[in-house]
Amino acid sequence: MTRKRWTLMLICCLLLVSVFFAGCSGKGKDNAGNNGGNTGNTQSGDTGNTGNTGNTGGTAASGGTLKLAWNSQPPTLDTHVTNTNVVRDIARQMYETLLTFNGNYEITPMLAESYEVSDDNKTVTFKLREGVLFHNGKEMKAEDVVASMQRWQQFGTAKAELGNSVWEAEGDYVVKLTLDGNLIPILHRIADPTQAGSIMPKEVIEAADSSGAKDFIGTGPFKLAEWKADAYIHLTKFEDYKPIDLPTSGLSGKKEALVDDIYIYFVPDNSTRVNGVISGEYDYAFELPFTSFPVLDSAKNIVNDVWPYGFETLVFNKKGVFGDARLRKAVNHAIDKEALLSLAFTNEKFYKLEPAYMRPEQVNWYTDAGKEHYDVYDVEKAKQLLQEAGYNGEEIVILTSSDYQYHYDSAVVAQQALEAIGMKTRLDVTDWATLLQKRQDPEQWDMFFTQFTTVATPLAYPFLDSRANYPGWTNNPEIDRYLDEIRAASNQEEATAKFKELQAIIWDDLPVINIGMTYFISSYSNKVKGYSEFMGPIFWNVSVEK
């Protein structure tokens, strides 16, 4: 496919999206996952998210200050070295990538003007946008892209997908990527905002060490002005930002810094964030507790954004008694998923019965294959499967955390359901950090609950691939084979068809149980206009009514 064709496709796609949104209005329904699975952080899930458009009515003016209240402080603003979502959500205002996702999760150029894939799918040639400036005033050129991407692919899932892929500059505005891996997952990884391949100046990359960059300089609409540890991050408008003159869609298209300053305050206390956004001390408060919703809903001066997080998940330890798929199926029949979600998430605004592992908005991946195994609450069937498996009263240890009420409540409902079919159970209640440690030892547990946030491709879920060694230790050669076939697919249509078959296998084998889709709450002042959410909050194209 030629560069010209890719560019034409981009323009047409974004125009169609803009027409669609012109005919629709309203507030939509992200992400705070843990470090990908095996190492701890302060969040309750296991990485990845999706998007919504917020309050766009009223008359807004440029300028002014946005005051945001966040529940935690990022460890760094270097997106190369961590996949924590607090880094992703704040740093995205400052950095940009070669490719990104539009509102349908389709790959779209960002700092690349266009890209061309060779006929053998072994090389990708990126034509860079000219005249793009870094926050230090230097023009972005191919040498900066090569330095950034070579460093980025040394970390995390980028290392796993890109391997020894080679980046080369061909003049100032062309970069050639020679693939050591498969095309589709690599392109998605380059576009993924989690542990993003942010483009930084070459000299910043050269000065960085294993702990991260020393200077945080990107090409985005906002730049770093100050980081006061344990207090706030201050971003200011980048006056020389070069936006794309195309409709905004997801993370793609036109970006504008409409406010002069953004202050991101670190406010870990839930009640302080709730009270602060209601009183007007903060313009926006991130991830508020479900129990605060009645108060937030009754406040007249704020807008409540109920946004898609991921799915509540029961993970089985397949090195123990749940190595027998019949026992896993017994549990699937024993749990009333809607009853569990209703108790754990308090209000149907915050959950949805959904068998899919990818969201409906993800048009390249969504499928309901396997749905016949989803909503199958049947106590007698569960007892029958238990008997067929030869269950002999072994104690089932349900590992859970008191730090996250919804995980704890899910575990309590599961315990009651298992005991109702004749299983002996015990809750092991710990803090979240201890849970993350304990789940590494297969002798200490049989099941636990977590959340997997929305990911760019199903290949990013760590619980599927036996080679990932994710706690639970899935070991199904058929699942591994399908994952490899998706990676090796020559086009998206082939990969989509393979995933449809794979999801049916997942529901039949049950390495985990997707209990249902979940949603979280953030709230903002009704004076804030243009706010949107897509795999995390977006503060470009956002203004404050005066």
Side-chain angles (χ1 to χ4, degrees):
M1 182 174 286
T2 66
R3 297 173 187 163
K4 181 178 180 181
R5 186 178 175 189
W6 276 113
T7 306
L8 181 61
M9 286 177 63
L10 164 65
I11 294 170
C12 292
C13 180
L14 290 176
L15 286 173
L16 285 171
V17 171
S18 68
V19 170
F20 174 82
F21 281 107
C24 304
S25 63
K27 177 175 66 67
K29 304 289 188 257
D30 150 280
N31 198 347
N34 97 15
N35 279 354
N38 295 338
T39 56
N41 77 12
T42 59
Q43 303 296 339
S44 66
D46 279 277
T47 208
N49 233 346
T50 167
N52 303 299
T53 302
N55 184 15
T56 58
T59 301
S62 298
T65 300
L66 270 176
K67 297 171 291 182
L68 318 179
W70 229 262
N71 56 350
S72 62
Q73 177 174 211
T76 180
L77 289 174
D78 182 351
T79 65
H80 292 182
V81 300
T82 179
N83 70 353
T84 53
N85 293 323
V86 64
V87 175
R88 180 203 63 191
D89 293 345
I90 294 174
R92 64 167 48 184
Q93 321 302 328
M94 303 162 50
Y95 293 116
E96 294 175 310
T97 51
L98 282 174
L99 307 175
T100 192
F101 293 125
N102 68 17
N104 289 323
Y105 293 84
E106 297 166 319
I107 296 169
T108 305
M110 175 48 71
L111 289 176
E113 179 179 285
S114 61
Y115 66 97
E116 179 183 356
V117 179
S118 64
D119 291 340
D120 62 2
N121 285 350
K122 294 299 183 184
T123 62
V124 184
T125 303
F126 299 91
K127 173 67 173 68
L128 304 181
R129 291 166 52 206
E130 298 185 23
V132 174
L133 301 181
F134 287 111
H135 299 153
N136 61 2
K138 172 189 171 182
E139 184 183 6
M140 180 198 73
K141 293 189 176 180
E143 64 175 6
D144 303 298
V145 173
V146 170
S148 297
M149 299 307 281
Q150 285 178 335
R151 175 176 181 263
W152 168 72
Q153 76 177 44
Q154 298 173 24
F155 299 96
T157 55
K159 182 176 183 179
E161 295 293 357
L162 278 82
N164 294 315
S165 296
V166 177
W167 298 84
E168 300 173 279
E170 297 186 345
D172 287 340
Y173 302 107
V174 175
V175 173
K176 178 181 176 182
L177 170 61
T178 302
L179 302 180
D180 175 28
N182 297 300
L183 176 67
I184 289 176
I186 287 177
L187 290 181
H188 278 85
R189 190 66 202 86
I190 294 170
D192 197 330
T194 302
Q195 199 157 2
S198 302
I199 305 304
M200 309 175 191
K202 180 182 178 182
E203 54 271 24
V204 169
I205 297 298
E206 291 173 342
D209 58 25
S210 59
S211 65
K214 306 305 177 185
D215 296 301
F216 305 119
I217 298 172
T219 60
F222 293 95
K223 62 182 181 178
L224 179 65
E226 181 186 11
W227 184 348
K228 187 173 182 179
D230 302 319
Y232 60 79
I233 285 174
H234 175 202
L235 306 180
T236 60
K237 178 177 182 177
F238 178 37
E239 298 288 351
D240 294 321
Y241 177 69
K242 303 292 185 182
I244 297 175
D245 191 19
L246 289 170
T248 303
S249 174
L251 297 174
S252 69
K254 189 173 184 177
K255 302 179 184 179
E256 291 185 279
L258 297 181
V259 295
D260 296 326
D261 298 276
I262 299 177
Y263 282 88
I264 303 159
Y265 297 97
F266 312 132
V267 187
D269 182 72
N270 287 333
S271 61
T272 303
R273 294 201 311 285
V274 171
N275 293 331
V277 73
I278 292 175
S279 69
E281 180 181 1
Y282 305 119
D283 299 306
Y284 171 93
F286 178 72
E287 196 173 314
L288 301 174
F290 301 128
T291 53
S292 68
F293 184 70
V295 174
L296 294 167
D297 196 39
S298 64
K300 303 301 183 183
N301 61 325
I302 64 172
V303 178
N304 295 307
D305 181 35
V306 179
W307 42 269
Y309 183 88
F311 56 94
E312 184 72 1
T313 313
L314 188 161
V315 179
F316 291 108
N317 173 8
K318 275 79 71 183
K319 289 187 176 182
V321 296
F322 287 114
D324 189 326
R326 292 171 296 183
L327 286 181
R328 303 197 295 271
K329 292 176 181 180
V331 173
N332 192 40
H333 283 283
I335 294 176
D336 182 338
K337 295 179 178 64
E338 183 160 22
L340 184 153
L341 291 167
S342 178
L343 178 66
F345 293 91
T346 73
N347 188 309
E348 62 185 9
K349 289 180 177 291
F350 308 129
Y351 69 85
K352 177 184 177 183
L353 289 172
E354 172 60 77
Y357 281 84
M358 305 298 284
R359 289 197 169 274
E361 303 92 334
Q362 296 175 286
V363 295
N364 284 333
W365 297 109
Y366 177 79
T367 174
D368 64 0
K371 64 182 179 180
E372 65 274 14
H373 300 299
Y374 177 63
D375 193 11
V376 291
Y377 175 56
D378 186 336
V379 171
E380 294 308 313
K381 179 66 173 177
K383 290 179 178 178
Q384 176 189 335
L385 287 164
L386 210 62
Q387 186 175 14
E388 291 176 6
Y391 173 72
N392 196 31
E394 296 91 344
E395 183 179 62
I396 304 301
V397 178
I398 305 173
L399 187 59
T400 190
S401 171
S402 54
D403 289 349
Y404 297 97
Q405 190 66 40
Y406 45 87
H407 288 332
Y408 176 79
D409 289 342
S410 296
V412 169
V413 173
Q415 180 186 37
Q416 294 170 348
L418 268 57
E419 290 183 346
I421 65 171
M423 300 186 87
K424 180 182 177 182
T425 68
R426 174 171 63 88
L427 284 185
D428 182 1
V429 185
T430 72
D431 60 77
W432 187 250
T434 301
L435 182 149
L436 295 177
Q437 294 173 350
K438 280 193 169 187
R439 74 182 190 179
Q440 302 301 315
D441 183 355
E443 299 298 322
Q444 295 201 50
W445 63 280
D446 293 292
M447 63 173 65
F448 72 90
F449 282 89
T450 187
Q451 288 202 45
F452 291 94
T453 60
T454 304
V455 292
T457 81
L459 297 172
Y461 286 130
F463 59 82
L464 291 176
D465 196 326
S466 64
R467 294 155 291 192
N469 203 34
Y470 179 81
W473 302 282
T474 299
N475 187 17
N476 185 320
E478 190 174 20
I479 291 178
D480 289 345
R481 178 172 62 83
Y482 269 93
L483 290 171
D484 289 341
E485 289 178 356
I486 292 170
R487 289 187 177 97
S490 60
N491 55 61
Q492 183 63 55
E493 291 74 18
E494 182 183 341
T496 301
K498 289 293 182 183
F499 178 63
K500 182 176 181 179
E501 296 175 35
L502 174 58
Q503 184 169 284
I505 294 168
I506 294 167
W507 271 112
D508 182 61
D509 185 65
L510 293 174
V512 303
I513 297 177
N514 168 11
I515 303 296
M517 292 293 182
T518 61
Y519 299 79
F520 283 4
I521 322 165
S522 296
S523 299
Y524 55 93
S525 166
N526 58 11
K527 294 182 178 181
V528 172
K529 306 298 178 182
Y531 171 78
S532 64
E533 191 277 346
F534 187 91
M535 301 181 81
I538 295 171
F539 296 104
W540 56 82
N541 302 341
V542 173
S543 57
V544 181
E545 193 175 57
K546 296 181 179 179

